[in-house]
Amino acid sequence: PLIVRSRPVNLNDTNVLLAMAATIAFAVTGVLAVAERRVDFFSAIMLGVIAAVGGGTVRDLILDVPIFWSLDLAYIRFAVLASILTFVAMSFFARPVMFSLMVYIDGLGAAMFGIGGAYKAYELGFAWPIGPLMMGVITAIGGGLIRDVLAGRKTLLMSDEVYAMPVVIGCLVMLLTLQFSPEHGPEGLLAGTVIAFSLRAVVIFWSLRLPRWFTTQSP
Amino acid sequence: PLIVRSRPVNLNDTNVLLAMAATIAFAVTGVLAVAERRVDFFSAIMLGVIAAVGGGTVRDLILDVPIFWSLDLAYIRFAVLASILTFVAMSFFARPVMFSLMVYIDGLGAAMFGIGGAYKAYELGFAWPIGPLMMGVITAIGGGLIRDVLAGRKTLLMSDEVYAMPVVIGCLVMLLTLQFSPEHGPEGLLAGTVIAFSLRAVVIFWSLRLPRWFTTQSP
Amino acid sequence: PLIVRSRPVNLNDTNVLLAMAATIAFAVTGVLAVAERRVDFFSAIMLGVIAAVGGGTVRDLILDVPIFWSLDLAYIRFAVLASILTFVAMSFFARPVMFSLMVYIDGLGAAMFGIGGAYKAYELGFAWPIGPLMMGVITAIGGGLIRDVLAGRKTLLMSDEVYAMPVVIGCLVMLLTLQFSPEHGPEGLLAGTVIAFSLRAVVIFWSLRLPRWFTTQSP
C-alpha cells in the first residue's frame, strides 16, 4: 500500500496531550461503567486499565508488533492514575456534568484510538483495505468489550448505543483519502478523527438510537 | 515431527470452494445465532465475521504466524458478505430447510477448519502431539466461543450440544495417520475431515445428546 | 533493566515438582468450579486446561515469546490428567478436606505462577516496572478469568474474594528486591512467593473479605 511519510496525528508531539486525555477518559468511563456492580479497588483499577489499553493490545497482537504500552508506559500510568482517582472520587465523576464531559471525551478517545489504530495497520501494510478498518474498530471498542465481558455486563455489541458506527465512518474517510490522495494523508487523519467524533457527539447530544429496521427482528 | 510434503486438503485449489463455503456457513450460523437478541446491523456483521474467522485468529496468535485472513482477504470478504446477506434476508435463512442446510454446512466447516488447523500446527512442528489437537479444536470452536461471549449467550462448552467431540475424533484420526503412516498424509486429512463431518451429521440428524454419566452431577 | 543470572525459582529442577503441583491444583479447582453447572466430560477437560495454562498463554502472547506449554508439554499433560481425574472422581475432590487442600494448593499455584510470570517479564526487560507486575497478575488470574467467562460464571474480578491482592504484594516485594538489590534476586523470588502464598493462606483460613470502604458504593 501507499505509505504516507508523516507521523499519525495521534502520535504527534502536539497531540500527545489529546492521546493521554483519551486514555484517561477511557479509564474513567471504564471504572464508572462497572461502579454500580460493587467492585473492589483492585478490580476497578484492572477494569479501568483494560478499558483504556485493551483494544490497542488486541490490535498489536494481531499486527504482531510490540504492544504499544510496553514502549511508552505513560499510557498505563495515566490509565492507573485515572482509575484510582475515579474510584476515590466516584461521587465527583458520577455527577451529571462530569459524567457528560467524560462521555464526550470518551467519544473523542474512540475517534482518536480508532483512527490511530487504522493508520497503524495501514502503515504496516496490513491486509489493505479491510485490515486497517478492522484494526481501527478493534482499537476503539476492544477495550470496552473485554471490560464488559469480565464485568459480566451486556457488551456494546448487544446494546442499541451508536458507538462503533462513527468510528467506522471516520476510518473509511481516512482510508479513502490515503488510497486516492495519499499526499493528503495528514488531512485525511484529521478529517477522519473530526468526523468520527462529530458523529458520536451528535449521537450523544440528541440521544440518537438506531432505527428499528436496522436491528434484527425475531424471525 | 515428520513433515508431509503435500499441501493441506483445505488449501488445495480444488478445495478452496469448500473452505469458502465453510467460512460462509460459519458467518451465516453466526448471525442467525444472535438474531433473536435484537442486534443491530453493525453488531450482526461483526459477530458473523468473528464467528467465521475468530478461531483461526486465536490459533495463529498462539502459533505466532501471520493471521490467515491477513494473507488472503477472501475469508473476510466472504464472511462480511454472508453476514450482510443473512441480516438482510433473515427470514429466508431462518426457514427450517435453509437453517438445517446451514447447520450441516457449519458442521462441515467445523470439520474442515478443525482438520486444517490441526494440520497447520503439525506442519509448523508445534507441540506435537497435543498442540495440533488443541489447535484443531480452537480453530473449529474458537470463533463460536468468542461470538457467544460477546453476545452474552451460553457458550458451546456449557451446552449439551455434541459439537467439538467429532472434531476431536477427526483430528485424532488424522494425527495418528501422520504419525504412523506419514506417506498417507493426504488420505489422513481427507479421512479426518470425512469422519469429523459424518459424526457431526449423525449427531444433527438424530438430535443426539451426551449421556448423563458423561456430564458432571451436583457433588 | 538489571538482569539476575540465576534461573527463576519456579523453573529450578528442585522446584519443578511444585510447578506441576500448581498446574494440577489449577486444573482441579478449575474443574470443580464449573462442576455445579453440569458440564460434559469434554468441556470439563477444556475448562480445566484453560484454567491451568490460560494465564501463562496470554502472558506469552503479550511478551511475544513461544507459549510456555508448547516448549514443555508436561504442563498440558498434567492439566489434562488432573482434569480427567477430577471429573471421574468428582465426589472425592469435592470432599471438604480435599477441596480445602486444593484451595490452598491453588493459592500456592497463584503465588508461584504470579511470581514466575513477573520474573519472566523482568528477564525479558518488558516495560519495567509496570510490565512485570501486570504480567504477574495476568499469569496468576488470567486462566481463571477465561474459564469463568467461557463458563458464564461471575469472574474473580466481580467477587469479593481476596485473590489477586496477595499476588500483587508478592510481586512488588520481588520486583523491589530486583530493583534495589539485584544480587539477592533468588531470595527476592522466594520471598515474593512465600509472602504471596502466606497472605492468601491467611485470607482462606480466616475467610477474610475486603472492607466495605474498599469497594464501590452506588454513587
Side-chain angles (χ1 to χ4, degrees):
Chain A
L2 303 158
I3 298 297
V4 178
R5 283 293 135 225
S6 69
R7 304 288 307 152
V9 164
N10 70 328
L11 295 179
N12 280 353
D13 288 348
T14 50
N15 285 293
V16 83
L17 274 176
L18 278 177
M20 289 306 150
T23 303
I24 291 170
F26 267 37
V28 171
T29 54
V31 172
L32 289 178
V34 296
E36 88 243 42
R37 305 220 158 197
R38 275 184 62 79
V39 295
D40 65 63
F41 179 75
F42 177 77
S43 299
I45 309 311
M46 270 202 74
L47 292 168
V49 172
I50 286 169
V53 305
T57 302
V58 173
R59 174 203 62 206
D60 290 344
L61 287 176
I62 291 178
L63 294 177
D64 201 16
V65 295
I67 311 297
F68 71 104
W69 51 259
S70 75
L71 303 177
D72 181 356
L73 282 172
Y75 291 98
I76 296 283
R77 290 209 182 97
F78 276 99
V80 169
L81 284 176
S83 300
I84 292 176
L85 206 64
T86 309
F87 184 87
V88 172
M90 188 71 75
S91 54
F92 174 72
F93 284 102
R95 275 188 206 169
V97 64
M98 273 306 292
F99 187 76
S100 286
L101 183 62
M102 282 298 143
V103 170
Y104 282 101
I105 299 181
D106 176 277
L108 181 59
M112 296 179 59
F113 280 2
I115 297 289
Y119 187 77
K120 188 169 186 176
Y122 165 80
E123 258 196 325
L124 291 164
F126 179 82
W128 176 265
I130 298 177
L133 184 61
M134 291 173 72
M135 292 305 104
V137 174
I138 285 176
T139 311
I141 74 171
L145 292 181
I146 302 174
R147 176 206 62 198
D148 287 344
V149 164
L150 291 176
R153 295 175 82 225
K154 203 177 182 177
T155 68
L156 202 59
L157 290 178
M158 303 311 283
S159 84
D160 57 354
E161 187 74 31
V162 184
Y163 191 94
M165 199 65 73
V167 173
V168 170
I169 295 169
C171 286
L172 282 176
V173 168
M174 179 193 74
L175 295 171
L176 288 171
T177 309
L178 291 170
Q179 170 73 347
F180 294 110
S181 179
E183 70 278 16
H184 292 103
E187 289 84 358
L189 281 160
L190 188 62
T193 310
V194 168
I195 288 169
F197 174 59
S198 304
L199 290 175
R200 176 70 184 141
V202 165
V203 164
I204 298 169
F205 190 77
W206 278 288
S207 301
L208 301 184
R209 288 291 175 273
L210 289 169
R212 274 193 76 93
W213 57 263
F214 212 65
T215 55
T216 58
Q217 316 295 329
S218 309
Chain B
L2 303 158
I3 299 296
V4 177
R5 283 293 135 225
S6 68
R7 305 287 307 150
V9 165
N10 71 327
L11 294 180
N12 280 353
D13 287 348
T14 49
N15 285 294
V16 84
L17 275 176
L18 276 177
M20 290 305 150
T23 303
I24 292 170
F26 267 37
V28 171
T29 54
V31 173
L32 290 178
V34 296
E36 89 242 41
R37 305 220 159 198
R38 274 185 61 78
V39 294
D40 66 63
F41 179 75
F42 177 77
S43 299
I45 309 311
M46 271 201 72
L47 292 168
V49 171
I50 286 169
V53 305
T57 302
V58 173
R59 174 203 62 205
D60 290 342
L61 287 175
I62 291 177
L63 293 178
D64 200 15
V65 296
I67 311 298
F68 72 103
W69 51 260
S70 75
L71 303 178
D72 181 357
L73 282 173
Y75 290 99
I76 296 283
R77 290 209 182 97
F78 276 99
V80 169
L81 284 176
S83 300
I84 292 176
L85 206 65
T86 310
F87 184 88
V88 173
M90 187 72 74
S91 54
F92 173 71
F93 284 101
R95 275 187 205 170
V97 63
M98 274 306 290
F99 186 75
S100 286
L101 182 62
M102 283 299 143
V103 170
Y104 281 101
I105 299 182
D106 176 277
L108 181 59
M112 296 180 60
F113 280 3
I115 296 289
Y119 187 77
K120 187 169 186 177
Y122 165 79
E123 258 197 325
L124 292 164
F126 179 81
W128 176 266
I130 297 177
L133 183 60
M134 291 174 70
M135 292 305 104
V137 174
I138 285 176
T139 310
I141 73 171
L145 291 181
I146 301 174
R147 177 206 61 198
D148 288 344
V149 164
L150 291 176
R153 296 175 82 226
K154 202 176 183 180
T155 68
L156 202 60
L157 290 178
M158 303 311 283
S159 84
D160 57 353
E161 187 72 32
V162 184
Y163 191 93
M165 199 67 72
V167 173
V168 171
I169 294 169
C171 286
L172 283 176
V173 168
M174 179 192 74
L175 296 170
L176 288 170
T177 308
L178 291 171
Q179 170 74 346
F180 293 111
S181 179
E183 70 276 16
H184 292 103
E187 290 84 358
L189 280 160
L190 188 63
T193 309
V194 168
I195 288 170
F197 174 59
S198 305
L199 289 175
R200 177 70 184 139
V202 164
V203 164
I204 298 170
F205 190 78
W206 279 288
S207 302
L208 299 184
R209 289 290 175 274
L210 289 170
R212 273 191 78 92
W213 57 264
F214 211 64
T215 55
T216 58
Q217 316 295 328
S218 310
Chain C
L2 303 158
I3 299 297
V4 177
R5 283 291 136 227
S6 69
R7 305 287 307 152
V9 164
N10 70 327
L11 295 179
N12 281 352
D13 288 348
T14 48
N15 285 293
V16 83
L17 274 176
L18 277 177
M20 290 305 150
T23 302
I24 292 170
F26 268 38
V28 171
T29 54
V31 173
L32 289 178
V34 296
E36 88 242 43
R37 304 221 160 198
R38 277 187 59 80
V39 294
D40 65 64
F41 179 75
F42 177 77
S43 300
I45 308 311
M46 270 202 73
L47 291 168
V49 171
I50 287 169
V53 305
T57 301
V58 174
R59 174 202 62 206
D60 289 343
L61 287 176
I62 291 177
L63 293 178
D64 200 15
V65 295
I67 312 297
F68 72 103
W69 51 260
S70 75
L71 303 178
D72 181 356
L73 283 173
Y75 291 99
I76 297 283
R77 290 210 181 97
F78 276 98
V80 169
L81 284 177
S83 300
I84 292 175
L85 206 65
T86 310
F87 184 87
V88 173
M90 188 71 75
S91 54
F92 174 70
F93 284 102
R95 275 187 205 169
V97 63
M98 273 307 289
F99 187 75
S100 287
L101 183 61
M102 283 298 144
V103 170
Y104 282 102
I105 299 181
D106 176 277
L108 181 59
M112 296 179 61
F113 280 2
I115 297 288
Y119 187 77
K120 187 169 188 177
Y122 165 80
E123 259 196 325
L124 291 164
F126 179 82
W128 175 265
I130 298 177
L133 183 60
M134 291 173 70
M135 293 304 104
V137 174
I138 285 176
T139 310
I141 73 171
L145 291 181
I146 301 174
R147 176 205 61 198
D148 286 344
V149 164
L150 292 175
R153 295 175 83 225
K154 203 177 182 178
T155 68
L156 203 58
L157 290 178
M158 304 310 284
S159 86
D160 57 352
E161 187 73 31
V162 184
Y163 192 93
M165 199 66 72
V167 173
V168 171
I169 294 170
C171 286
L172 283 176
V173 168
M174 179 193 73
L175 295 171
L176 288 171
T177 308
L178 291 171
Q179 170 73 347
F180 294 109
S181 178
E183 70 276 17
H184 293 103
E187 289 84 359
L189 281 160
L190 188 62
T193 310
V194 168
I195 288 170
F197 173 59
S198 304
L199 289 175
R200 176 68 184 143
V202 164
V203 164
I204 298 169
F205 190 77
W206 279 289
S207 302
L208 299 185
R209 289 289 175 273
L210 290 170
R212 273 192 77 94
W213 57 263
F214 212 65
T215 55
T216 59
Q217 316 296 327
S218 310

